[in-house]
């Protein structure tokens, strides 16, 4: 619904394409090479069952460990995932800040590329998994330098961000520089995510490894909350003056510059402690590898995509979310444009947390069977209709606004609309994830499922970018007060204003997009939706990847 109220299947909150390559560290009797690249020793023998971790007999014979014995490792994982959520949350807050500065939707579309690295990290994940210094640690070889660079980058950015956002009088935001800067920011965060995901399954014992996913979801959600919802609230002068201060001040309690500097220092200090005090588990040995290294991984990905069933899935899932793009990418920005405070919009995410925890548990009961995509198909028309409801909500917003803000019933309706949206979104999201898990070849499950999840998330990224870019071209404005002028271009609009006129919107491109997207969405549902469901009827062999050793 907005960059702040982020979608679970978007690249901001949903961690797309999480690379789950075989998570083994080298055997202690491996060749004495310090830097490993493009290859591991291959295990001979064994059956074809998927084996992500094979512990040596010394560990297998130990009695099961209580989670309390590994509480330190669990808390460390949780904290690393919290750190990972901070850049995600900060990047998600920037579009709302830009919207309050009246940047164009074309600029917003350009900035939306910032959210692509988490959907594309499969492209460099094999390198992170295969190249490392054995003496320092397979995961620490990437985690430590990446977090150091992140910390230094945040501290440097704290000195430049006010200028980039056009905080100085007479300056406008430098969207190009902001996009490049935050794209690198998110690229580093995605790389850190790959390293932490890999370390998670070797840091904990087999009986406690299930806590890794809990640390992932809880930690990243908490980090996103700190970097987005909490930051936007504390950065807002009106929110702080109303709820947190006795005497009004012209600025919020914190600025983006302060926030970046503080978390940059946190990154540097905690990374130093991890580098010095935390050792990687060297007792875990490799079993049967999914791939032998970087080259083999890329060849494997290419062979998976070439399979007819997978290719059909990719084409359909890349187009399935076009119908939601206007509602998901533009609605939140339009609400800010119509006067809804960005911090209030961010705070709507708070009461949704319990719903976001409960929904997957409920929906999974319906997607656990042999045909999970039936749930996707049934939920799609309701989500499309909510797109029209969002457009109506945007149209209604200025009509209920009064001098002091918005009435409480407006926020209640907004919250209910968002809750209904979450139900339909999670129904589709859980269904696709269940289908991906169902069809993934178990011999190469990590790489296979990661590829399908990456494509699923890209199917949400590119329509959002296009939807933002099309808002301005589809909007019709006219120059009021001056004869013979128009507002068709930025230069013409500026001339109209200089001559004493004003540009008035006669047709908002958002409404054109909303109707068009819903029409395209229902067309996909009617004509391509049945083909998407038929993928469930494919024989299991259609999804098996034929590999040659």
């Amino acid at each position: 619904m907005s960059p702040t109220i982020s979608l679970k299947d978007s690249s901001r909150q949903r961690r797309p394409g999480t690379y789950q390559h075989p998570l083994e560290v080298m055997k202690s009797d491996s060749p004495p090479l310090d830097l490993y690249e493009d290859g591991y020793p291959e295990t001979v023998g064994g059956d074809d069952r998927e084996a992500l971790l094979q512990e040596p007999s010394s560990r297998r014979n130990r009695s099961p460990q209580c989670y309390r014995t590994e509480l330190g490792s669990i808390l460390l994982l949780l904290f690393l995932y919290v750190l990972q959520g901070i850049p995600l949350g900060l990047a998600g807050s920037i579009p709302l800040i830009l919207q309050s500065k009246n940047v164009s939707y074309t600029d917003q579309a350009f900035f939306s590329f910032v959210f692509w690295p988490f959907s594309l990290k499969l492209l460099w994940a094999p390198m992170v998994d295969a190249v490392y210094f054995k003496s320092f640690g397979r995961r620490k070889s990437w985690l430590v330098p990446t977090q150091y660079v992140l910390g230094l980058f945040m501290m440097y950015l704290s000195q430049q961000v006010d200028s980039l956002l056009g905080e100085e009088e007479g300056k406008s935001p430098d969207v190009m520089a902001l996009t490049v800067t935050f794209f690198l920011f998110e690229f580093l965060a995605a790389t850190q995510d790959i390293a932490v995901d890999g370390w998670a399954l070797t840091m904990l014992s087999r009986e406690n490894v299930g806590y890794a996913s809990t640390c992932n979801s809880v930690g990243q959600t908490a980090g996103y909350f700190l970097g987005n919802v909490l930051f936007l609230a504390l950065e807002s002068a009106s929110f702080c003056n109303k709820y947190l201060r006795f005497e009004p001040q012209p600025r919020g309690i914190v600025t983006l510059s302060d926030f970046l500097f503080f978390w940059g220092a946190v990154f540097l200090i905690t990374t130093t402690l991890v580098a010095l005090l935390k050792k990687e588990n060297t007792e875990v040995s490799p079993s049967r590898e999914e791939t032998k290294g970087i080259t083999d991984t890329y060849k494997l990905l290419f062979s998976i995509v070439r399979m007819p069933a997978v290719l059909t899935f990719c084409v359909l899932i890349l187009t399935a979310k076009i119908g939601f793009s206007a509602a998901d990418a533009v609605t939140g920005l339009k609400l800010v444009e119509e006067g809804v405070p960005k911090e209030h919009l961010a705070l709507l995410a708070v009461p949704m947390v319990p719903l976001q925890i409960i929904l997957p548990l409920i929906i999974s009961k319906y997607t656990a069977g042999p045909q999970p995509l039936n749930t996707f198909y049934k939920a799609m028309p309701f989500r499309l209709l909510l797109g029209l409801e969002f457009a109506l909500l945007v149209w209604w917003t200025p009509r209920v606004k009064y001098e002091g803000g918005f009435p409480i019933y407006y926020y209640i309706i907004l919250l209910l609309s968002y809750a209904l949206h979450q139900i339909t979104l999670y129904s589709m999201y859980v269904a696709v994830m269940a289908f991906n898990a169902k069809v993934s070849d178990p011999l190469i499950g990590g790489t296979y499922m990661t590829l399908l999840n990456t494509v699923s998330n890209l199917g949400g990224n590119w329509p959002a970018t296009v939807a933002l870019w099309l808002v301005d071209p589809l909007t019709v404005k006219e120059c009021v007060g001056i004869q013979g002028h128009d507002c068709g271009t930025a230069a013409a609009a500026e001339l109209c204003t200089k001559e004493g006129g004003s540009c008035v919107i006669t047709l908002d491109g958002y409404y054109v997009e909303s109707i068009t997207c819903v029409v395209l969405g229902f067309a996909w549902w009617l004509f391509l939706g049945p083909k998407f469901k038929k993928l469930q009827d494919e024989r299991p062999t259609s999804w098996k990847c034929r590999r040659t050793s």
Side-chain angles (χ1 to χ4, degrees):
M1 186 170 173
S2 80
T4 298
I5 305 174
S6 61
L7 303 180
K8 185 66 178 176
D9 61 347
S10 75
S11 61
R12 291 163 238 177
Q13 189 170 356
R14 159 78 188 142
R15 297 167 44 267
T18 302
Y19 189 78
Q20 295 179 340
H21 196 271
L23 300 168
E24 306 92 352
V25 294
M26 299 302 297
K27 285 182 179 177
S28 58
D29 59 348
S30 299
L33 297 177
D34 194 43
L35 179 67
Y36 286 75
E37 181 172 1
D38 197 25
Y40 313 102
E42 184 175 7
T43 304
V44 180
D47 58 24
D48 285 340
R49 291 173 298 174
E50 180 181 30
L52 293 178
L53 284 176
Q54 180 173 326
E55 298 176 304
S57 57
S58 61
R59 292 197 67 184
R60 288 198 302 268
N61 293 333
R62 294 177 186 175
S63 59
Q65 298 188 50
C66 173
Y67 76 92
R68 292 186 180 86
T69 63
E70 296 186 304
L71 185 59
S73 295
I74 293 172
L75 292 176
L76 173 60
L77 272 181
L78 178 65
F79 185 72
L80 290 174
Y81 281 118
V82 170
L83 291 183
Q84 186 186 118
I86 298 295
L88 290 171
L90 284 172
S93 68
I94 297 299
L96 296 182
I97 295 174
L98 292 176
Q99 193 68 12
S100 65
K101 296 179 180 294
N102 299 315
V103 303
S104 68
Y105 283 93
T106 303
D107 287 337
Q108 292 279 16
F110 188 70
F111 187 82
S112 70
F113 283 107
V114 164
F115 306 111
W116 285 55
F118 268 79
S119 288
L120 297 174
K121 65 185 178 180
L122 182 63
L123 298 178
W124 68 92
M127 184 180 299
V128 175
D129 203 53
V131 180
Y132 61 97
F133 291 97
K134 181 185 176 184
S135 58
F136 189 53
R138 182 175 182 178
R139 306 305 173 185
K140 287 170 64 177
S141 295
W142 286 92
L143 178 71
V144 170
T146 299
Q147 289 198 169
Y148 269 133
V149 174
L150 267 170
L152 293 172
F153 191 75
M154 293 173 83
M155 298 185 83
Y156 170 76
L157 186 57
S158 70
Q159 306 301 314
Q160 307 295 324
V161 71
D162 288 342
S163 175
L164 294 177
L165 286 172
E167 298 291 351
E168 300 171 9
E169 191 173 347
K171 288 190 65 176
S172 58
D174 188 344
V175 177
M176 173 71 76
L178 276 171
T179 302
V180 173
T181 301
F182 275 88
F183 185 90
L184 293 174
F185 196 30
E186 295 303 288
F187 173 82
L188 290 169
T191 304
Q192 188 254 19
D193 176 51
I194 299 167
V196 175
D197 282 347
W199 200 2
L201 294 188
T202 57
M203 187 184 295
L204 303 178
S205 61
R206 178 177 289 277
E207 53 268 20
N208 291 326
V209 76
Y211 288 104
S213 60
T214 304
C215 293
N216 185 322
S217 58
V218 174
Q220 196 179 63
T221 300
Y224 190 92
F225 179 87
L226 291 172
N228 189 287
V229 179
L230 183 64
F231 164 69
L232 287 172
L234 296 180
E235 185 264 350
S236 169
S238 62
F239 181 87
C240 293
N241 290 338
K242 187 174 182 179
Y243 299 106
L244 303 176
R245 286 178 174 147
F246 295 107
E247 294 184 7
Q249 299 289 333
R251 305 185 72 173
I253 292 176
V254 300
T255 64
L256 182 55
S257 177
D258 298 334
F259 200 82
L260 283 167
F261 187 87
F262 171 79
W263 283 105
V266 171
F267 266 84
L268 293 178
I269 293 170
T270 55
T271 302
T272 301
L273 293 175
V274 170
L276 295 177
L277 303 178
K278 184 63 178 177
K279 303 297 182 183
E280 288 198 37
N281 180 10
T282 58
E283 294 185 9
V284 182
S285 61
S287 61
R288 183 179 181 86
E289 298 284 352
E290 284 187 9
T291 60
K292 300 176 185 176
I294 300 174
T295 304
D296 191 42
T297 299
Y298 289 120
K299 288 180 180 178
L300 175 59
L301 292 172
F302 183 67
S303 66
I304 293 172
V305 173
R306 289 177 58 190
M307 293 189 295
V310 175
L311 189 60
T312 302
F313 171 83
C314 290
V315 171
L316 292 175
I317 201 65
L318 283 172
T319 55
K321 299 175 186 176
I322 293 175
F324 318 127
S325 56
D328 292 352
V330 188
T331 299
L333 300 179
K334 274 293 176 183
L335 291 174
V336 173
E337 182 182 323
E338 296 294 351
V340 180
K342 59 183 183 296
E343 63 275 11
H344 290 178
L345 203 59
L347 288 170
L348 287 178
V350 177
M352 289 297 103
V353 172
L355 184 64
Q356 292 169 344
I357 294 172
I358 295 170
L359 278 175
L361 300 177
I362 297 174
I363 296 168
S364 61
K365 295 179 181 179
Y366 301 94
T367 59
Q371 295 188 316
L373 293 183
N374 289 354
T375 303
F376 180 99
Y377 187 77
K378 291 175 182 177
M380 187 172 182
F382 294 100
R383 187 174 171 186
L384 289 170
L385 291 175
L386 282 172
L388 293 179
E389 193 265 345
F390 284 164
L392 183 62
L393 193 61
V394 171
W395 173 85
W396 183 55
T397 296
R399 288 158 177 79
V400 296
K401 184 180 179 182
Y402 60 90
E403 188 175 346
F406 293 88
I408 189 65
Y409 66 82
Y410 172 80
Y411 287 108
I412 293 173
I413 292 174
L414 193 61
L415 186 63
L416 290 175
S417 299
Y418 181 43
L420 291 173
H421 178 263
Q422 289 291 288
I423 293 172
T424 59
L425 184 151
Y426 270 79
S427 296
M428 299 178 68
Y429 161 70
V430 174
V432 171
M433 293 302 104
F435 177 75
N436 291 350
K438 174 177 174 286
V439 301
S440 294
D441 188 339
L443 297 185
I444 47 175
T447 303
Y448 201 128
M449 189 168 177
T450 296
L451 174 63
L452 297 182
N453 291 347
T454 298
V455 174
S456 298
N457 285 284
L458 283 175
N461 281 118
W462 78 263
T465 298
V466 172
L468 287 165
W469 180 78
L470 285 175
V471 172
D472 285 338
L474 292 174
T475 298
V476 178
K477 299 179 181 180
E478 65 178 22
C479 183
V480 176
I482 301 293
Q483 293 288 338
H485 287 75
D486 62 61
C487 299
T489 63
E494 185 178 353
L495 181 61
C496 171
T497 305
K498 282 184 178 179
E499 294 293 328
S502 61
C503 289
V504 177
I505 295 175
T506 57
L507 179 63
D508 195 324
Y510 167 68
Y511 300 114
V512 177
E513 266 194 19
S514 295
I515 296 172
T516 304
C517 285
V518 170
V519 171
L520 292 175
F522 272 107
W524 189 98
W525 182 69
L526 290 171
F527 299 107
L528 297 180
K531 294 183 180 179
F532 192 55
K533 285 202 303 177
K534 282 186 179 179
L535 289 173
Q536 301 172 123
D537 301 326
E538 292 279 350
R539 293 179 299 174
T541 53
S542 301
W543 304 96
K544 301 295 182 184
C545 185
R546 295 174 178 81
R547 299 179 60 198
T548 56
S549 323

